[in-house]
Amino acid sequence: MGISHDNIKIIIEEIKSSKFTIIAARPGMGKTALALNIAHYLAYSEPASVIAYFTLEMTTKQILERLFSFITNTDYKSVKNTNFSIHELQKPICSNLIIDDTSGFDLPTLKNILTSMKGMSLKYIFIDYLQLMDSDKNRNRQKQIDEILVSLKTISEQYDISIILLSQLNRVIEQRPDKRPKITDLQYLTALETNVNKIVFLYRDDAYTKKSCLALRHAELSFVGVETKSKMTEMVSFCPETLSFVGF
């Protein structure tokens, strides 16, 4: 089952309707690929808006390679092995999509960057991902994550921007037969309920079975309204060779 233009419209509208969204999944599901597909779509469809993507795990070049791969429909491994320059990788990418790999990324750093971007029509920011945000290792990590979520909501309101935050899920998922994510798989439920508008759970069955030989793999995107408790699931197609969710 592939992704249709109606699927895309629904997915993008779900993102746009929320000021603070979390994209959550276990490692290897394609969180970064999904976020980059969405970020590129927003940049392409809203040329007057600026989209900032903060990458805490990969370098700017690694993110550009992923973007280049799905935008040009080129095998990702081939892109990496070609060793394009950053300038070459940027050519097909919308100029209003900014990639930032600032080291030691924390809340004060984010505020400084956002202040410097005032007047640039910044509308969306992506943070990849929550568990890598710099913190005081001597303090309780749960409390720190709660504080990060509270602060990000304040930043969203202060700068009038939408925040899309990527997050890992609790590994307890691996211990049950049905590995589809649930809201209880998030480790920060207290702050979640009062600060986040929407959660997008990404799940791919083939990530566990390892049996699919298909070029396109089925993926499920489950949208959960934190306040309304609403839930909606969209089926999409994922191409691992180009790291693309088909249709974006």
Side-chain angles (χ1 to χ4, degrees):
M1 181 178 182
I3 186 168
S4 70
H5 290 293
D6 287 338
N7 288 113
I8 298 171
K9 191 182 244 184
I10 291 169
I11 291 167
I12 294 300
E13 287 308 313
E14 285 292 320
I15 296 295
K16 286 183 175 182
S17 67
S18 170
K19 293 297 286 184
F20 192 177
T21 300
I22 287 179
I23 296 177
R26 287 294 295 150
M29 287 289 166
K31 289 188 301 297
T32 296
L34 176 62
L36 288 174
N37 276 242
I38 293 171
H40 170 69
Y41 187 95
L42 291 170
Y44 181 80
S45 61
E46 299 186 32
S49 301
V50 172
I51 293 86
Y53 195 100
F54 297 99
T55 169
L56 283 60
E57 184 175 29
M58 302 179 197
T59 64
T60 293
K61 185 175 183 182
Q62 289 173 319
I63 292 294
L64 290 175
E65 287 173 339
R66 286 168 168 255
L67 283 165
F68 186 96
S69 175
F70 78 75
I71 291 171
T72 63
N73 197 33
T74 305
D75 186 276
Y76 176 59
K77 290 181 181 177
S78 175
V79 173
K80 284 201 303 180
N81 292 335
T82 304
N83 195 26
F84 289 109
S85 68
I86 286 183
H87 176 70
E88 290 171 318
L89 292 169
Q90 286 175 325
K91 285 182 180 179
I93 299 169
C94 298
S95 60
N96 57 328
L97 175 54
I98 298 171
I99 311 300
D100 188 303
D101 63 358
T102 300
S103 60
F105 187 89
D106 55 13
L107 290 169
T109 300
L110 175 60
K111 289 179 182 178
N112 288 337
I113 293 173
L114 295 180
T115 299
S116 71
M117 295 178 74
K118 274 191 173 179
M120 290 179 61
S121 301
L122 182 65
K123 191 170 181 181
Y124 306 95
I125 70 168
F126 290 73
I127 301 174
D128 186 1
Y129 57 91
L130 169 62
Q131 286 78 7
L132 291 180
M133 291 186 73
D134 258 20
S135 58
D136 184 352
K137 294 179 174 59
N138 294 319
R139 295 179 58 223
N140 180 278
R141 185 57 176 157
Q142 180 63 56
K143 289 183 178 179
Q144 289 180 58
I145 288 180
D146 287 351
E147 290 171 5
I148 288 171
L149 295 182
V150 171
S151 296
L152 287 176
K153 181 185 179 182
T154 301
I155 287 171
S156 171
E157 295 169 347
Q158 180 181 352
Y159 292 89
D160 191 23
I161 54 175
S162 294
I163 295 176
I164 298 93
L165 174 67
L166 278 63
S167 175
Q168 299 278 31
L169 286 173
N170 197 315
R171 62 171 59 93
V172 72
I173 290 177
E174 315 296 340
Q175 300 170 11
R176 62 178 188 246
D178 185 355
K179 295 175 173 53
R180 286 173 176 78
K182 302 175 183 177
I183 198 166
T184 51
D185 295 323
L186 293 164
Q187 298 172 310
Y188 35 85
L189 286 175
T190 305
L192 187 75
E193 293 176 351
T194 54
N195 296 284
V196 177
N197 303 124
K198 197 160 293 182
I199 305 164
V200 183
F201 289 119
L202 170 61
Y203 172 79
R204 285 177 29 235
D205 192 57
D206 70 277
Y208 290 105
T209 62
K210 308 293 183 184
K211 292 179 181 178
S212 179
C213 297
L214 299 174
L216 297 180
R217 316 291 172 84
H218 297 327
E220 297 176 18
L221 297 182
S222 296
F223 296 84
V224 179
V226 178
E227 297 170 348
T228 63
K229 307 300 181 186
S230 61
K231 184 174 180 180
M232 177 190 75
T233 299
E234 290 292 323
M235 299 298 295
V236 298
S237 295
F238 176 67
C239 178
E241 282 70 30
T242 57
L243 304 176
S244 59
F245 285 83
V246 181
F248 280 96

